[in-house]
Every structure is written in C-alpha cells, then in structure tokens.
Amino acid sequence: MPTRNLNRDIIMNLNRRSLLQLSAASVALGMAGLPARAQAIDELVIAYNVALPGWDPTVGPSAVNPTIQGIYQSVFDMFIAQNPDLSFAPGLITEWGWNDDRTKIGMTVREGVTWHDGSPFTPEDVVWSLERAANPDTGNPIQFVWSTIGNFSIDGNTITADVLRFDPTLFKWMSFLTGYVLPKAYYEKVGAEGFEAAPVGTGPYMVEKFERNAFVRLKANPAYWGGKPEFETVTIKFVTDAASRVAEIESGNAHVTLEMPYEEYDRLKAGGTLTGTAVPISDIGMIFLNDIEVMTDPNVRMAAALAIDKQLIVDRLLSGYGVPIDTLETPDYVAFDPSIKVPYNEAKAIELLAASGYGPDNPVKFKIQTTKGFKPKDYEMIQAIVGLWRKVGIEAEIEVYEIAKHFELRAADQLAPAAFYNWGNAVGDPTTSTGFAMFGPSPHSVWDGEDLIAMIGPLWGEADEAKRIEGWKAVDRYIADNALVIPLIQYVQPILAAPGVAVTPHASGALLPALMKRS
C-alpha cells in the first residue's frame, strides 16, 4: 500500500487486499398508514429480529452479538470498513499495516469527516477509542486484542504505535466486533449515561428516537463522508417473533424484514409482490458442549455428533437453505478443511453409547438450550435433533432462552451441557471462529480442556501465516475427532422487501439500511 503519508521508518507491507487473503409485533411509532411502494416511502420501516440493548457498541455482551452489528454500523463507523463480500475497504482509517519486523503499526486517518453533532473527527478520536478499548476497566469483551498495541504517536493524519504483542488478526478486528470509533470530546463531556441517552457517531444515520424494546428511528446523515443514504428516515422495529415479522411484511407495516421461516420466505416470494434474497452468510449454527456432567464422557459427545443427520435437517426443515458443516469453519473461511468430516452414523452412535452403558432402554440424559425464532427454524431444528438422539439412546430436555440469556450464561460458563447458538465470523479467520469459541480462557468458550488450550495458545501470535492456518486446521481436526463441539450448518439468510426496495445483502449477515435503494 502507499506509504507516502506514513513515517519513513514504517514500511507498510500489508494492504487491504492482502488482509482479505489472510483472512413487539407492531409498536406505536407515532405514524400511520405506512405505504408499501418505494416511490411513496417517506419512512422506510424494517422489522428486525432482535432488540438493541444499548448504544455503546464496544462494551458488554451485546458488543459481540453479530446480529446487532447492522444497527451499530448504521450509526457508527468502524476503523476499517468491509464490503458486502467481506473484503476490506477504507473506513475512518484509509491505510494501515505493520512495518517489516512487525514491531510497529501505522494508520492513515480519513480527513474531512464530522461527528453527528457537527464537531470534527480527528486522529485523537482514533487513539482514544483504541486506548479505551484496550483498558480492561471499560468492559470491552475483546480487550485482549486491542491491548496488543500501545504507545501511540500522532503526526498530522498519521498514527503510529508499538506492537506490544503481535496479533496477526489485529486489523481484521478493526472491521469486526467492537471495532468502532467513538467521539472522545463528546463522550468525556456527557459520560456513559449521556452517550446512552444521545449517541453520536460518524455513520450514515443519526439517532432521532429510541424506545427500548420497541424501535429506533434514524435520520440520514447529510454530511456522511460515504455519501448520504437514499432513505431519509429509517425506523427499525424490534420484532423478535418470527411469525410477527412475517405478518409485518405481509401486511405492509414493514418494508423489509429478515430471518423468517424458509417456507414463509418461499410462499411470500412466490406471491409476486415481495422480492427476496437468500444467500449464504458467515453465520453458522452450532451446539456448544460444556465440559460438565455427561459431556465429560467422549462416547456421549461423539454419539451426539454422529446421530445428527445434518443434510436431512437442511432438506426437510430448512427447505434446502443451508450448508452442512463439520467444523467451525465454513467453505468461505481461510482455514476451511474439507477433509475433516463427522458423518451421520446412527449405528456407530448406538455402539459408542452402549460402551458407556447407555441405550434406548437406559438413555443418557442432559439439557439442551436453544433460542426460538431468533434464527429460522432454530427451535424446530433442536426438536429434530432431540428426536434423532432419542433413537440412539439420548434423552435431552429442551430449555428455551432469549439470545441475551445465552450471552449471560456463556460469559459465566454456566451453559447447559448442550446449547444451540449461531456464531458469526464476518472476517472468516479461524481465531474468530474456532479460536474464541473453543479456547478455554476465552469468555466466549465453555470448553476448558487443557489439551485444547495448549494447542490453541501458540497460534494467537503466530507470525508465519501458512503455519498459523495449518495449526488451526490441526485444531479443527482434533476438535472433530473428540467431538468437543457440534457444528451444524452455515446459514442462508432470507430477506424480504416491499416492491421497489432493493436490498443489498451483506455476507456478514448485517442488514444495513445504508445499502438499501429505491428501484
């Protein structure tokens, strides 16, 4: 990448291209009679599948909820932007990279940007945001990534910093979870409570009104550096029930919605009124296995994995919308290894359970937790899996929880022996899939095996990229061979839109109003 604006002792040899290679129901909104035709839309309404718990995109469990990122990205900009195909692009930082010996980083800050309150965006905002993210007292769940750099220096619009601990994924995180730039002067002036009441970003939309658990109304940012978005006003209604989202779009009370049952997607799309897109995204469906109770028995774990016919679930429950997977890497991730397989084998599952004294007449028992309606057919998928398990000698009790409860329990390492979840990895790196999900010290993991910790530990700072990726593939194989987690599917995300509204899907799964156009 060009280095003309960087300090001469920093030779930037990692550009954006090489980075990729490394890598409820209706609520009272103060409006009536919403039109369904784009040319008549004054206020674009989106029926969203999750409620926004708070406005700081860098702290707390919600900061690592992939589903909320589309709302955050509408208001705040990331250090480094990401295109719909997951390739990286200039954001508030336009150039970035390491020097030759990976002891320093350099970044060029975009000029001419303003915050929503009209104040200028500066390199000081970038440094303050990075230092705040690295401070363990601020509650950033990815603090251990941001703390790998420090001793910042600003020269014009150029920032340099020392590499305190080399992390090969540092710049990827700058376009991923918690990778947002916040306004230093404004935040210090109003404090956390003031920021929550009136959030300020540099993003394409500004917050006009927010009703917790109901909706957020956004106004287009006329001074947005990326160009003013097409729809002047966007209201995002929090409709967590899938059937209610279907009713919203079918009745014309919403112009866009997502994550409905696939049969409803097919029905409504076939009706000829609504348009739809359904493309694979970076999210995966998986079952966490907590190393407690019966899950300490390898025969029980492997039997549970082998007894699941993933292709049958995709075909019959998901109407063919899904890609069965056997590791926590999808075919789009850089460490995907197609040779790692955990095939459906009912007979082998029965044999393994029998070796541990279990069978249909003496089933092994445990609880499995799941969301219901958060993702298409999530609860029904677990019902089907429980049915398949029952055939081989596993009796699982289903407990339904909200996604926020999952985050709470996972952070406290208190998930049930089995817990369904959708894992998002918008940067496609193994550290942000296998790594954080399976590394015992990670707050996102519930598997604490010392053998796996020993395998993963050295990979966090591995500078040889080929060696790093091969190391992660070996970790994935070990996990599969020992059934330490049960990967299920790569998701296909269904999106429906009213006539004349063109939605550009994002492979991260983020539904971005700024990408929506009139057609």
Side-chain angles (χ1 to χ4, degrees):
M1 67 178 238
T3 58
R4 59 186 179 277
N5 294 322
L6 301 182
N7 290 351
R8 291 182 178 179
D9 60 331
I10 303 289
I11 300 175
M12 299 302 152
N13 54 15
L14 184 68
N15 60 22
R16 296 176 290 279
R17 187 169 299 170
S18 64
L19 257 178
L20 176 62
Q21 294 171 343
L22 292 179
S23 8
S26 296
V27 294
L29 300 175
M31 59 188 177
L34 290 173
R37 301 288 176 179
Q39 60 267 28
I41 295 175
D42 296 318
E43 184 167 358
L44 182 71
V45 179
I46 300 171
Y48 210 65
N49 65 326
V50 65
L52 183 72
W55 277 110
D56 190 330
T58 68
V59 301
S62 62
V64 291
N65 181 349
T67 313
I68 295 175
Q69 303 307 308
I71 301 176
Y72 285 149
Q73 288 177 37
S74 297
V75 177
F76 308 102
D77 281 315
M78 311 196 88
F79 297 100
I80 297 171
Q82 195 175 34
N83 295 316
D85 65 356
L86 300 186
S87 60
F88 299 96
L92 292 179
I93 292 172
T94 59
E95 296 175 329
W96 58 88
W98 288 281
N99 64 346
D100 281 338
D101 63 3
R102 307 292 178 95
T103 59
K104 290 183 178 293
I105 66 163
M107 300 174 285
T108 302
V109 177
R110 184 179 295 277
E111 298 181 275
V113 177
T114 57
W115 294 100
H116 291 160
D117 64 356
S119 61
F121 161 74
T122 69
E124 284 77 11
D125 293 310
V126 173
V127 170
W128 177 81
S129 295
L130 287 168
E131 290 180 333
R132 178 174 177 265
N135 184 346
D137 295 333
T138 61
N140 188 304
I142 315 297
Q143 179 271 339
F144 47 86
V145 171
W146 304 120
S147 63
T148 61
I149 54 175
N151 302 321
F152 293 90
S153 176
I154 299 174
D155 181 9
N157 69 330
T158 298
I159 298 172
T160 57
D162 292 336
V163 174
L164 307 179
R165 301 186 311 278
F166 176 70
D167 184 336
T169 65
L170 171 65
F171 291 114
K172 293 184 179 184
W173 277 103
M174 289 190 181
S175 64
F176 196 34
L177 304 176
T178 80
Y180 297 92
V181 185
L182 301 186
K184 177 180 186 291
Y186 177 77
Y187 193 97
E188 290 181 338
K189 176 183 176 181
V190 302
E193 290 187 7
F195 189 83
E196 185 65 31
V200 166
T202 59
Y205 282 97
M206 303 178 288
V207 178
E208 181 181 64
K209 187 175 183 181
F210 174 55
E211 293 287 345
R212 194 174 301 278
N213 297 319
F215 71 93
V216 58
R217 182 178 291 124
L218 305 173
K219 285 289 187 181
N221 177 6
Y224 185 53
W225 60 266
K228 182 181 177 182
E230 187 150 331
F231 290 100
E232 179 68 29
T233 304
V234 175
T235 294
I236 300 174
K237 301 161 68 172
F238 307 138
V239 187
T240 57
D241 178 69
S244 297
R245 290 195 300 279
V246 170
E248 289 282 325
I249 193 75
E250 192 168 18
S251 66
N253 286 329
H255 306 106
V256 179
T257 193
L258 73 165
E259 303 292 13
M260 71 292 300
Y262 294 111
E263 66 270 18
E264 293 286 4
Y265 170 81
D266 285 338
R267 177 181 69 84
L268 293 171
K269 185 179 177 183
T273 301
L274 301 172
T275 58
T277 62
V279 297
I281 58 174
S282 61
D283 282 11
I284 67 172
M286 60 179 283
I287 298 176
F288 276 105
L289 299 181
N290 198 353
D291 52 349
I292 59 173
E293 302 176 18
V294 296
M295 289 307 169
T296 60
D297 185 335
N299 289 334
V300 171
R301 297 195 307 270
M302 185 57 74
L306 294 174
I308 300 174
D309 190 337
K310 300 169 189 176
Q311 191 62 57
L312 181 69
I313 289 173
V314 168
D315 293 341
R316 294 193 181 178
L317 265 182
L318 307 182
S319 303
Y321 294 105
V323 181
I325 55 175
D326 294 309
T327 71
L328 297 183
E329 319 288 334
T330 79
D332 309 307
Y333 294 4
V334 293
F336 176 69
D337 184 346
S339 71
I340 301 175
K341 297 291 185 182
V342 183
Y344 169 62
N345 191 331
E346 181 180 298
K348 183 64 175 178
I350 292 173
E351 176 186 326
L352 288 170
L353 287 173
S356 290
Y358 301 113
D361 296 328
N362 180 38
V364 59
K365 299 180 181 181
F366 57 83
K367 180 184 292 183
I368 181 168
Q369 295 162 320
T370 181
T371 51
K372 187 175 184 179
F374 178 66
K375 298 289 282 186
K377 297 293 186 180
D378 45 6
Y379 177 73
E380 291 82 358
M381 186 158 32
I382 295 305
Q383 280 186 311
I385 289 171
V386 168
L388 291 169
W389 281 345
R390 190 176 298 114
K391 292 170 61 179
V392 300
I394 297 173
E395 185 177 310
E397 173 193 357
I398 300 176
E399 175 188 312
V400 176
Y401 57 8
E402 295 295 326
I403 191 64
K405 187 65 174 179
H406 169 88
F407 285 117
E408 177 187 328
L409 293 174
R410 194 176 78 197
D413 199 358
Q414 293 179 355
L415 288 178
F420 175 78
Y421 178 64
N422 68 290
W423 188 275
N425 180 14
V427 293
D429 195 89
T431 64
T432 49
S433 53
T434 301
F436 289 108
M438 300 305 300
F439 186 58
S442 164
H444 316 295
S445 172
V446 292
W447 190 267
D448 301 314
E450 293 295 333
D451 47 354
L452 194 58
I453 291 173
M455 289 184 70
I456 292 176
L459 297 176
W460 294 116
E462 178 55 63
D464 184 319
E465 183 64 8
K467 183 178 179 181
R468 185 176 78 92
I469 297 303
E470 286 306 310
W472 281 112
K473 289 181 179 180
V475 168
D476 283 325
R477 185 172 298 279
Y478 179 84
I479 290 171
D481 289 345
N482 292 276
L484 306 184
V485 69
I486 303 180
L488 297 172
I489 60 165
Q490 177 186 11
Y491 274 107
V492 170
Q493 183 185 63
I495 302 172
L496 287 168
V501 180
V503 176
T504 299
H506 199 287
S508 69
L511 188 64
L512 299 173
L515 294 181
M516 298 179 191
K517 307 291 184 183
R518 301 179 192 271
S519 64

